[in-house]
């Protein structure tokens, strides 16, 4: 591929900025300063941009703390999507892994690695997802048992056993719940099945991937190599 494409794929700047930097001698390939943005390079080339090594990564993996009010989709004519939260040059062929409702916050993995996306969502795989929620109504031990036994939803669907932990019980209860599947509106429908309503919902983890507490809603970062390795081992 062309050198300017290599650098632009790795998001070091816009194509115009990259071309300028190359022409000004700020880029080296395999130890030699180059001035031609169209130079042919490949994924194994050693490329330095403004003194920093830029390793070519075929796939990108981002952790987003999804805020309420944006939809989990790649594009929409009317509503803001989770991809609108990433800078335009990073979006390319990215997709969210699974879906959070518009009013749900928290951990969302975004990647262009279709195989990983598929594997993590496969119903055979049972990747655990943990949520924090605020519930209208007094969540009690009989709810904990009902979740553990496997709830039946309004459409007759029988849920796999889920682990419900009560953090605070009252008119508005606080809980954490871990489910092994990801059916449409699952947590909200599980609480409806026990006569209660979800007021606030946030995903805390997905398999081994835990939401980084330093990310404010709407913020994102790349996965660390350790996080990626743990997901790939799932
Ligand atoms: N369950 C829900 O009800 N909504 C979500 O966004 C995620 C899980």
């Amino acid at each position: 591929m062309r050198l300017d494409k290599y650098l632009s794929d790795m998001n070091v700047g816009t194509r115009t900025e990259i071309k300028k930097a190359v022409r000004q001698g700020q880029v080296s390939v395999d130890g030699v300063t180059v001035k031609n943005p169209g130079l042919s390079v490949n994924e194994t080339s050693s490329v330095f941009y403004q003194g920093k090594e830029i390793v070519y990564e075929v796939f990108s993996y981002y952790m987003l703390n999804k805020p309420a009010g944006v939809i989990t989709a790649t594009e929409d004519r009317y509503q803001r999507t989770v991809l609108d939260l990433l800078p335009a040059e990073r979006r390319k062929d990215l997709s969210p892994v699974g879906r959070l409702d518009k009013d749900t916050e928290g951990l969302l993995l975004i990647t262009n690695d279709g195989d990983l996306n598929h594997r993590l969502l496969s119903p055979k795989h049972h990747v655990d997802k943990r949520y924090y929620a605020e519930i209208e109504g007094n969540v009690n031990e009989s709810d904990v048992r009902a979740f553990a036994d496997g709830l039946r939803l309004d459409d007759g669907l029988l849920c796999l056993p889920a682990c419900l932990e009560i953090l605070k019980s009252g008119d508005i209860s606080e809980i954490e719940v871990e489910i092994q599947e990801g059916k449409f509106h699952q947590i909200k429908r599980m609480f409806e099945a026990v006569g209660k309503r979800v007021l606030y919902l946030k995903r805390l983890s997905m398999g081994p991937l835990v939401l980084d507490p330093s990310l404010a809603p709407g913020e994102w970062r790349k996965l660390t190599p350790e996080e990626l390795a743990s997901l790939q081992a799932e």
Side-chain angles (χ1 to χ4, degrees):
M1 78 189 95
R2 289 172 57 103
L3 175 59
D4 51 4
K5 175 171 182 342
Y6 178 112
L7 290 166
S8 133
D9 281 355
M10 293 305 99
N11 298 304
V12 301
T14 63
R15 279 278 180 128
T16 313
E17 287 164 352
I18 289 167
K19 283 190 174 133
K20 194 165 157 212
V22 177
R23 293 205 178 97
Q24 288 177 344
Q26 296 173 14
V27 177
S28 73
V29 175
D30 296 332
V32 181
T33 299
V34 295
K35 297 232 163 147
N36 173 11
L39 184 79
S40 184
V41 292
N42 62 43
E43 285 137 31
T44 64
S45 303
S46 161
V47 177
F48 279 73
Y49 181 83
Q50 296 176 335
K52 189 167 164 246
E53 184 169 23
I54 308 296
V55 176
Y56 194 86
E57 291 162 1
V58 179
F59 295 123
S60 310
Y61 305 87
Y62 300 102
M63 171 190 294
L64 170 72
N65 183 357
K66 179 192 172 297
V70 296
I71 61 168
T72 309
T74 50
E75 56 184 336
D76 191 89
R77 281 179 66 175
Y78 304 106
Q79 306 196 64
R80 280 212 317 154
T81 74
V82 289
L83 286 192
D84 292 332
L85 297 168
L86 299 185
E89 71 273 11
R90 290 184 193 251
R91 288 181 214 155
K92 295 185 199 123
D93 47 358
L94 296 171
S95 307
V97 178
R99 197 149 54 131
L100 293 178
D101 296 337
K102 187 173 174 185
D103 58 354
T104 302
E105 296 186 355
L107 176 67
L108 191 65
L109 173 64
I110 297 179
T111 182
N112 56 352
D113 181 343
D115 284 348
L116 183 73
N117 193 330
H118 197 74
R119 205 148 44 79
L120 291 175
L121 292 185
S122 152
K124 276 185 266 156
H125 231 80
H126 298 317
V127 174
D128 291 338
K129 291 146 204 112
R130 191 168 187 87
Y131 293 84
Y132 164 82
E134 291 166 12
I135 310 293
E136 188 176 60
N138 210 311
V139 180
N140 55 38
E141 287 307 317
S142 89
D143 297 327
V144 173
R145 280 192 298 275
F147 273 63
D149 288 346
L151 282 170
R152 193 168 290 280
L153 302 184
D154 47 3
D155 59 358
L157 182 100
L158 185 62
C159 297
L160 291 171
C163 179
L164 173 61
E165 272 178 57
I166 303 172
L167 305 178
K168 180 173 162 263
S169 194
D171 291 344
I172 293 183
S173 302
E174 291 176 32
I175 62 95
E176 282 188 16
V177 60
E178 196 158 285
I179 56 174
Q180 308 174 46
E181 50 206 336
K183 310 282 183 215
F184 186 60
H185 296 326
Q186 182 159 347
I187 303 288
K188 291 174 184 164
R189 290 164 69 208
M190 287 171 98
F191 278 98
E192 273 164 26
V194 294
K196 301 190 170 96
R197 193 161 71 95
V198 173
L199 300 174
Y200 172 80
L201 186 61
K202 175 177 181 176
R203 182 153 67 193
L204 304 174
S205 65
M206 182 175 179
L209 190 63
V210 178
L211 178 65
D212 181 336
S214 73
L215 292 177
E219 289 184 346
W220 57 269
R221 66 159 171 78
K222 286 175 91 164
L223 291 197
T224 64
E226 294 74 30
E227 286 168 336
L228 178 57
S230 69
L231 273 181
Q232 282 167 334
E234 257 296 294

